């Protein structure tokens, strides 16, 4: 199925906004609008069915089940609740984190330390539906604390639950934007914490190796995954003095060939490029016919050719070229499947 055939969904920010509008209406009138319609930043006007309605003494709560469409979103099916209470006259809109919504504990994010993890655009959307009301808005997500363990929130210093996210209100199926945004926030947090050395790794094993090799704390580790280009381009604009790139031979062979997106669907290992790194003609030909990058590594190891170091050096050249002279020193660490370092390049 093509991505264009997939069904779009709604962000937690859109769900929280719709729930807030419904709860506020019930607080004022005693009736919950169902469905409740909101206007998104780009003009779409989706309507949301209410899953929860609760009207109490001085408060109203509405809940909406998040529909992420056909995206494999960790919060798909989560129940997003908004409880609206009357606030102090002239107090405007005050946001609070309810159960399952995190609190910011580190600098570098677009919210101050101590604030509920309700991002700026969802806050603006909720203020728009509330008008000039003086209210306290508490957003919660059922099971959000458990779901947050499967996100980048703990590493970013957002503790206790999920973030209420979204810049457009729409979830695009299989979009890379959320991952890339987390990479950027990771750099922002590291800079705000005064870190002078960060690491971007392609997976958990290479991340562990990089952290142990350089003694890096958790907030210096970037969830790079396949998005080497996202790390390098953001550091080009927001430099940190030193970057370690760590990964398996297959992923970093792609970086060595000039690919910045290392996903298997978007780039492949170029065995011709690997062969060209090998001086010995017979070994080079065997590398050219190899089945995998690990196979090529083993061929070179038997021939006494340091393919891991050669890949690391070429991958570092790609990284430096992408940084375009930004003041970032780069080293590259290549590992095998067991987590053994098989190649290094750089300071």
């Amino acid at each position: 199925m093509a991505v264009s055939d997939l069904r779009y969904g709604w962000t937690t920010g859109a769900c929280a906004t719709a729930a807030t509008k419904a709860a506020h209406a019930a607080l004022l009138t005693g009736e919950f609008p169902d469905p409740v319609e909101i206007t998104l930043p780009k003009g779409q006007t989706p309507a949301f069915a209410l899953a929860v309605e609760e009207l109490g003494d001085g408060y109203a709560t509405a809940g909406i089940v998040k529909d992420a469409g056909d995206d494999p979103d960790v919060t798909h099916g989560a129940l997003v609740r908004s409880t609206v209470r009357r606030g102090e006259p002239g107090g405007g809109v005050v946001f609070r984190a309810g159960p399952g919504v995190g609190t910011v504990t580190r600098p570098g994010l677009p919210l101050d330390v101590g604030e509920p993890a309700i991002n700026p655009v969802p806050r603006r959307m909720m203020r728009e539906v509330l008008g000039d009301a003086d209210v306290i808005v508490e957003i919660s997500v059922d099971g959000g604390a458990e779901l947050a363990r499967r996100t980048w929130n703990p590493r970013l210093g957002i503790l206790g639950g999920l973030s209420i996210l979204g810049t457009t209100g729409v979830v695009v199926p299989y979009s890379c934007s959320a991952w890339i945004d987390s990479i950027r926030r990771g750099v922002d947090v590291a800079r705000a914490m005064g870190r002078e050395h960060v690491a971007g790794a392609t997976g958990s094993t290479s991340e562990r190796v990089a952290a142990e090799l350089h003694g890096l704390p958790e907030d210096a580790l970037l969830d790079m995954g396949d998005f080497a280009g996202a790390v390098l381009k953001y550091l080009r604009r927001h430099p940190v003095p030193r970057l370690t790139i760590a990964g398996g031979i297959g992923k970093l062979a792609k970086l060595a060939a000039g690919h910045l997106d290392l996903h298997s669907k978007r780039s492949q290992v170029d065995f011709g490029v690997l062969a060209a790194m090998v001086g010995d003609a017979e070994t080079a030909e065997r590398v050219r016919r190899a089945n995998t990058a690990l196979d090529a590594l083993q061929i070179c190891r038997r021939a006494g050719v340091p393919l891991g170091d050669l890949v690391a050096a070429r991958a570092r050249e790609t990284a430096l070229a992408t940084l375009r002279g930004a003041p970032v020193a780069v080293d590259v660490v290549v590992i095998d499947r067991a987590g053994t370092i098989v190649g290094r390049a750089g300071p």
Side-chain angles (χ1 to χ4, degrees):
M1 180 183 293
V3 172
S4 59
D5 297 329
L6 297 175
R7 189 170 58 88
Y8 284 31
W10 311 112
T11 63
T12 48
C15 295
T17 299
T20 297
K21 182 178 179 179
H24 186 232
L27 188 64
L28 296 177
T29 69
E31 297 292 334
F32 289 88
D34 188 11
V36 57
E37 183 179 286
I38 62 171
T39 301
L40 300 180
K42 291 188 177 181
Q44 304 100 316
T45 55
F48 296 81
L50 298 186
V52 170
E53 299 178 7
E54 182 180 343
L55 186 59
D57 184 14
Y59 76 93
T61 299
I64 290 170
V65 175
K66 177 179 171 178
D67 180 0
D70 289 324
D71 192 71
D73 191 306
V74 68
T75 58
H76 177 68
L79 179 59
V80 180
R81 301 175 189 255
S82 176
T83 297
V84 179
R85 297 179 175 87
R86 293 185 174 88
E88 294 294 328
V93 179
V94 176
F95 292 102
R96 290 183 179 169
V101 170
T103 299
V104 176
T105 67
R106 293 177 188 161
L109 296 169
L111 299 167
D112 292 335
V113 171
E115 281 289 308
I118 303 169
N119 272 22
V121 172
R123 288 182 185 228
R124 189 181 74 226
M125 292 167 61
M126 283 184 264
R127 286 192 175 101
E128 288 173 354
V129 300
L130 291 167
D132 58 0
D134 298 318
V135 291
I136 298 167
V137 178
E138 179 182 286
I139 305 298
S140 60
V141 180
D142 288 19
E146 179 64 30
L147 291 173
R149 298 191 184 102
R150 296 157 57 189
T151 73
W152 293 280
N153 274 16
R155 179 165 295 178
L156 294 174
I158 299 171
L159 303 183
L162 295 162
S163 298
I164 302 301
L165 300 172
T167 55
T168 65
V170 178
V171 175
V172 179
Y174 295 91
S175 169
C176 303
S177 60
W179 195 312
I180 291 172
D181 185 64
S182 293
I183 288 172
R184 293 169 177 167
R185 299 294 77 78
V187 172
D188 292 343
V189 167
R191 284 165 52 92
M193 296 294 290
R195 303 302 178 197
E196 296 190 347
H197 187 175
V198 297
T202 60
S204 58
T205 301
S206 54
E207 181 179 88
R208 174 183 55 78
V209 169
E212 292 176 355
L213 181 65
H214 295 298
L216 296 175
E218 186 180 57
D219 57 32
L221 305 177
L222 309 175
D223 285 289
M224 182 177 77
D226 292 318
F227 301 106
V231 170
L232 293 164
K233 291 172 185 177
Y234 198 69
L235 286 175
R236 186 169 71 205
R237 301 190 301 275
H238 308 276
V240 172
R242 184 171 179 185
L243 166 67
T244 295
I245 296 174
I249 183 73
K251 296 287 189 183
L252 294 190
K254 297 178 184 181
L255 186 62
H259 298 290
L260 297 178
D261 185 337
L262 311 181
H263 194 280
S264 59
K265 292 184 178 179
R266 297 182 286 271
S267 61
Q268 301 296 323
V269 174
D270 189 328
F271 292 97
V273 170
L274 291 180
M277 298 180 191
V278 179
D280 176 65
E282 182 179 346
T283 303
E285 185 56 33
R286 294 179 65 194
V287 167
R288 195 183 307 276
R289 299 196 306 267
N291 293 322
T292 64
L294 187 60
D295 184 26
L297 177 68
Q298 293 168 342
I299 290 168
C300 288
R301 183 178 288 165
R302 290 192 292 269
V305 176
L307 183 63
D309 290 333
L310 297 171
V311 166
R314 187 71 66 86
R316 181 172 180 267
E317 290 176 7
T318 299
L320 292 173
T322 306
L323 287 166
R324 297 181 187 172
V328 181
V330 178
D331 71 288
V332 176
V333 179
V334 182
I335 65 169
D336 62 14
R337 287 178 180 167
T340 302
I341 296 175
V342 296
R344 294 184 68 179

